[in-house]
């Protein structure tokens, strides 16, 4: 599904729309298409949950920072680097999660976690450092 999103976003970028407008439209259409499924699966809208400040602040943080800003940044990266190169960086998500959970949540770093992080970083470095023949042709011309 993420590949489909990346391809559609990359294609939308060729029509001259701004990154923020594209992201906003994707979010709006996503919400419109999810609402019927939410209702069909027995979901109900209870706005009393937002009456407490902590709940409201958590939702705002998740909606603005963790979702909207991250998707806008992702779409800017897609414009700059292309879909394939940008998609490689998805593999940094678990590494960043491990680092922040260690710092802020005081999660232990086991040998398995350290080895997995090292392998993930090594794979990322390796995938970005190999020069492919088609890339060399583009650099020459």
């Amino acid at each position: 599904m993420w590949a489909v999103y990346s391809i559609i976003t990359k294609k939308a970028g060729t029509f001259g729309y701004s990154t923020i407008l594209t992201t906003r439209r994707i979010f709006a259409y996503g919400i419109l298409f999810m609402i019927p499924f939410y209702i069909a699966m027995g979901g109900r809208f209870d706005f009393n949950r937002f009456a407490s400040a902590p709940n409201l602040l958590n939702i705002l943080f998740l909606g603005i920072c963790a979702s909207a800003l991250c998707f806008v940044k992702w779409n800017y990266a897609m414009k700059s680097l292309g879909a394939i190169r940008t998609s490689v960086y998805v593999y940094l998500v678990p590494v960043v999660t491990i680092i922040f959970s260690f710092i802020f949540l005081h999660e232990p770093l086991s040998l398995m976690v350290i080895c997995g992080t090292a392998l993930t970083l090594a794979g990322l470095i390796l995938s970005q450092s190999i020069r492919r023949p088609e890339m060399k042709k583009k650099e020459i011309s």
Side-chain angles (χ1 to χ4, degrees):
M1 198 56 149
W2 189 253
V4 172
Y5 171 79
S6 296
I7 291 168
I8 290 171
T9 304
K10 181 67 175 171
K11 183 68 176 169
T14 63
F15 294 124
Y17 298 122
S18 75
T19 304
I20 293 173
L21 177 67
T22 303
T23 306
R24 190 178 73 203
R25 284 188 177 168
I26 290 170
F27 269 60
Y29 290 133
I31 289 170
L32 284 177
F33 284 107
M34 285 189 306
I35 288 173
F37 291 104
Y38 177 73
I39 294 169
M41 296 179 78
R44 60 184 177 84
F45 296 100
D46 181 15
F47 295 104
N48 291 329
R49 297 178 195 170
F50 305 116
S52 71
N55 288 350
L56 183 60
L57 291 174
N58 286 334
I59 292 295
L60 288 175
F61 172 79
L62 289 172
I64 295 170
C65 297
S67 292
L69 290 177
C70 290
F71 277 94
V72 168
K73 283 296 188 184
W74 180 264
N75 293 339
Y76 274 121
M78 292 267 293
K79 268 187 177 176
S80 301
L81 301 174
I84 295 172
R85 271 191 98 178
T86 305
S87 295
V88 171
Y89 290 99
V90 165
Y91 297 110
L92 280 177
V93 171
V95 174
V96 171
T97 302
I98 289 167
I99 292 168
F100 278 91
S101 66
F102 175 74
I103 293 170
F104 294 109
L105 303 176
H106 307 290
E107 294 280 333
L109 289 178
S110 67
L111 182 60
M112 186 77 76
V113 169
I114 292 169
C115 289
T117 302
L119 286 172
T120 301
L121 291 174
L124 182 64
I125 291 167
L126 183 64
S127 71
Q128 294 302 300
S129 65
I130 295 176
R131 295 267 179 190
R132 292 172 186 79
E134 66 271 7
M135 292 178 96
K136 289 180 184 176
K137 289 179 188 175
K138 286 181 184 176
E139 289 175 359
I140 292 172
S141 56

